[in-house]
């Protein structure tokens, strides 16, 4: 991980890792109440990634206890919808614009430069593994309520300056700051000696650890990384230590970051809690119930196919020797009832009604009935707008939190990396001189409504006639619509300065 080579303030005297490890242990103990809940959510809703708290075995069977696929399918749909609506791959879902502190001339001069900076940023995102890892994070936030994305700077020479890793929820331990953000991150992972040398090329590994690796090259060693905001809040301390080593050699790296490399975000948050709540948690009672109902229906189906039989023990008929296959001849004594079928106790029609209701509630809780593909293959422009508005209402609160905890830190971290590498000018996204705008489909819903209101007003003025149209500054209206629809700056004609007016309006003679 790339960092500045300055002290962290996280370690004790003589670079003792004990204070850092004690703080990590306390934070992990506070997290323990969530672990059972997380595991249950992943078992029923995301079985392919159910190894939340333990290392998975590659190739092992997943979902053996799962009998109904409604919840996993809805989770996949919701995560895919978030990816396409918030951070669509190969589309610029953000932009940099001139801030309100600049005058009109400065805004027009800065627009072309900021447009180019946004294109450079998007190019690095497109060439990186952002879309793949971001989809995994969306699966985590939908299932567990909390997700962590590691945003590292790639070594020089790679296709993109960005490298992303979706950190499993079981590896991260988080603390919430006074401002309500998850700004303190601990990550515990296990690496081989080869992996440690690749990740921390400048670190000196303990001799005992190296000797153990010589005997078993595949042995993994526990590593704890910590990112903690500085007291002043202008940067982040970073340290990486070996968990089972007490000596000075346990410290693998230390430094600081301008922006935290760990981007932690939540679906929603209950007061007084650090970790987030997910839609799967809300639907978990229905998910568990429908899973049990389907299990019972399948058992009842086997009874309906094979049947349950009873026979009189008359000394002639031996039920242990009977096979219920076509063509079988079963002897019985004269006057004996022989084999008699028992009526199945369950009714499939009642079970199906219960399942339909439960599955409908699960799909509604996970927004699959709102965010999925529409039944009508062709929709009018008004229907598309109304559908987008409905999605904005459903995801309004969640989108606000994701914008604050995910999208804004993501762009600020990207700007900091490219600015340090000299690929973009020295600019500061502070909301005054340079502002951040979002251009994703979900973010553009309100902009399209504003544009519709504007066009409706212009149409009304044209119907009024007379001098009503003179109240419209056509150039200003065109530039406003261009900003709403994210028209590139180079397509717009610069605004002409207003002509000075002669006092009195006369000809001066």
């Amino acid at each position: 991980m790339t960092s500045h080579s300055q002290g962290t303030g996280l370690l004790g005297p003589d670079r003792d890792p004990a204070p850092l490890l004690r703080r990590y242990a306390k934070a992990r103990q506070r997290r323990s109440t969530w672990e059972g809940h997380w595991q249950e959510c992943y078992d029923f809703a995301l079985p392919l990634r159910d190894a939340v708290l333990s290392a998975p075995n590659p190739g092992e069977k997943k979902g053996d206890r799962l009998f109904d696929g409604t919840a996993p399918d809805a989770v996949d749909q919701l995560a895919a919808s978030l990816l396409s609506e918030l951070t669509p791959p190969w589309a610029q879902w953000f932009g940099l614009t001139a801030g309100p502190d600049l005058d009109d001339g400065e805004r027009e001069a800065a627009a072309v430069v900021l447009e180019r900076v946004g294109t450079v940023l998007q190019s690095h995102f497109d060439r990186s593994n952002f879309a793949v890892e971001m989809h995994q994070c969306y699966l985590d936030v939908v299932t567990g309520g909390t997700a962590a994305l590691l945003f590292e700077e790639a070594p020089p020479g790679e296709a993109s300056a960005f490298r992303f890793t979706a950190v499993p929820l079981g590896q991260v331990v988080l603390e919430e700051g006074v401002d309500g953000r998850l700004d303190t991150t601990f990550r515990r992972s296990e690496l081989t000696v080869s992996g440690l040398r690749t990740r921390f090329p400048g670190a000196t590994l303990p001799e005992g650890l190296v000797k153990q690796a010589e005997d078993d090259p595949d042995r993994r060693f526990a590593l704890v990384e910590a990112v903690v905001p500085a007291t002043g809040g202008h940067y982040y301390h970073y340290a990486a230590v070996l968990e089972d080593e007490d000596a000075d050699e346990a410290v693998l790296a230390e430094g600081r970051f301008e922006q935290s490399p760990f981007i932690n975000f939540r679906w929603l948050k209950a007061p007084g809690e650090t970790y987030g709540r997910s839609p799967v948690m809300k639907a978990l009672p229905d998910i568990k119930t429908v899973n049990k109902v389907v299990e019972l229906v399948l058992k009842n189906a086997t009874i309906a196919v094979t049947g349950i039989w009873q026979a009189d023990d008359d000394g002639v008929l031996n039920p242990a020797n009977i096979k219920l296959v076509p063509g079988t001849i079963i002897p019985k004594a004269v006057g004996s009832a022989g084999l008699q079928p028992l009526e199945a106790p369950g009714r499939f029609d009642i079970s199906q009604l219960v399942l339909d209701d439960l599955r409908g509630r699960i799909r509604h809780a996970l927004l699959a009935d709102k965010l999925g593909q529409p039944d009508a293959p062709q929709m009018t422009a008004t229907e598309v707008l109304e559908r987008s508005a409905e999605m904005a209402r459903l995801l309004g609160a969640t989108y606000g939190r994701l914008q604050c905890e995910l999208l804004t830190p993501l762009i600020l971290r990207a700007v900091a990396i490219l600015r340090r590498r000299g690929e973009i000018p020295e600019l500061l996204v502070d909301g005054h001189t340079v502002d951040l705008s979002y251009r994703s489909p979900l973010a553009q819903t309100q902009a399209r409504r504003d544009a519709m209101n504007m066009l409706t007003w212009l149409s009304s003025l044209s119907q009024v006639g007379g001098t009503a149209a003179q109240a419209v500054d056509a150039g200003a209206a065109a530039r406003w619509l261009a900003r709403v629809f994210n028209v590139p700056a180079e397509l717009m004609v610069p605004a002409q300065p207003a002509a000075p007016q002669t006092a009195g309006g006369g000809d001066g003679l």
Side-chain angles (χ1 to χ4, degrees), residues 76-391:
D76 286 339
Q77 289 191 37
L78 181 52
S81 297
L82 290 175
L83 183 66
S84 62
E85 295 293 332
L86 293 179
T87 55
W90 304 103
Q92 188 164 345
W93 46 269
F94 64 91
L96 298 178
T97 60
D101 291 355
L102 302 181
D103 56 32
D104 292 341
E106 291 173 333
R107 290 174 64 89
E108 292 184 0
V112 177
V113 177
L114 295 178
E115 195 75 32
R116 185 186 66 83
V117 171
T119 303
V120 173
L121 286 168
Q122 184 64 40
S123 176
H124 280 278
F125 276 110
D126 292 340
R127 298 196 306 269
S128 70
N129 62 336
F130 172 72
V132 176
E133 298 300 317
M134 195 69 249
H135 180 252
Q136 294 295 324
C137 285
Y138 285 139
L139 289 172
D140 283 334
V141 77
V142 169
T143 306
T146 307
L149 179 68
L150 176 58
F151 187 175
E152 298 178 284
E153 179 180 349
E158 292 195 8
S160 172
F162 305 154
R163 183 169 58 194
F164 299 92
T165 303
V167 183
L169 192 53
Q171 291 187 6
V172 293
V173 177
L174 307 175
E175 291 181 356
E176 190 178 57
V178 293
D179 56 355
R181 295 187 303 163
L182 298 175
D183 51 6
T184 299
T185 307
F186 298 94
R187 181 195 183 189
R188 183 190 183 277
S189 56
E190 296 182 355
L191 295 176
T192 63
V193 167
S194 176
L196 291 174
R197 286 172 174 166
T198 301
R199 187 167 175 80
F200 306 101
T204 301
L205 301 180
E207 294 183 1
L209 184 145
V210 175
K211 291 181 179 179
Q212 295 179 44
E214 291 177 354
D215 298 334
D216 184 7
D218 295 330
R219 181 170 181 176
R220 294 179 175 268
F221 301 91
L223 163 72
V224 175
E225 298 174 85
V227 176
V228 180
T231 304
H234 300 296
Y235 59 92
Y236 291 82
H237 294 300
Y238 171 79
V241 301
L242 294 170
E243 186 179 32
D244 298 328
E245 300 290 335
D246 298 327
D248 177 61
E249 294 179 338
V251 180
L252 299 177
E254 54 182 327
R256 74 180 196 177
F257 288 94
E258 181 180 350
Q259 301 288 336
S260 175
F262 288 98
I263 301 175
N264 310 306
F265 56 99
R266 297 162 286 194
W267 180 267
L268 62 84
K269 174 183 175 297
E273 295 182 345
T274 299
Y275 299 91
R277 296 278 179 171
S278 70
V280 169
M281 292 180 181
K282 181 175 66 174
L284 190 59
D286 289 334
I287 295 173
K288 294 168 66 176
T289 302
V290 75
N291 192 70
K292 190 63 177 179
V293 170
V294 172
E295 181 184 1
L296 295 176
V297 167
L298 293 176
K299 290 181 178 179
N300 200 1
T302 61
I303 294 175
V305 173
T306 60
I308 299 178
W309 304 79
Q310 62 180 354
D312 293 333
D313 187 5
D314 55 6
V316 177
L317 180 65
N318 184 3
N321 295 330
I322 296 176
K323 294 183 179 180
L324 297 177
V325 295
T328 301
I329 299 176
I330 303 174
K332 72 181 187 68
V334 177
S336 173
L339 287 179
Q340 296 293 328
L342 289 178
E343 183 180 356
R347 291 183 57 188
F348 287 100
D349 53 348
I350 301 298
S351 301
Q352 191 61 42
L353 291 175
V354 173
L355 284 176
D356 290 342
D357 181 58
L358 290 173
R359 287 168 175 166
R361 294 212 303 259
I362 292 171
R363 294 178 62 82
H364 181 74
L366 297 180
L367 306 179
D369 56 343
K370 302 296 183 182
L371 301 182
Q373 294 295 327
D375 294 333
Q378 295 181 352
M379 294 191 299
T380 65
T382 303
E383 290 173 338
V384 172
L385 185 61
E386 289 300 323
R387 183 177 176 84
S388 300
E390 185 176 12
M391 292 171 57

Side-chain angles (χ1 to χ4, degrees), residues 423-479:
E423 296 192 29
I424 61 175
E426 290 288 336
L427 54 88
L428 181 63
V429 185
D430 56 359
H432 298 285
T433 57
V434 178
D435 202 359
L436 181 61
S437 63
Y438 296 102
R439 303 175 181 178
S440 65
L442 188 59
Q444 289 300 306
T445 300
Q446 185 59 45
R448 287 193 293 269
R449 283 193 168 273
D450 293 340
M452 179 175 289
N453 293 336
M454 170 72 157
L455 295 175
T456 302
W457 176 66
L458 293 176
S459 177
S460 300
L461 290 181
S462 65
Q463 295 177 6
V464 171
T467 60
Q470 298 178 5
V472 180
D473 187 339
R479 285 188 292 274

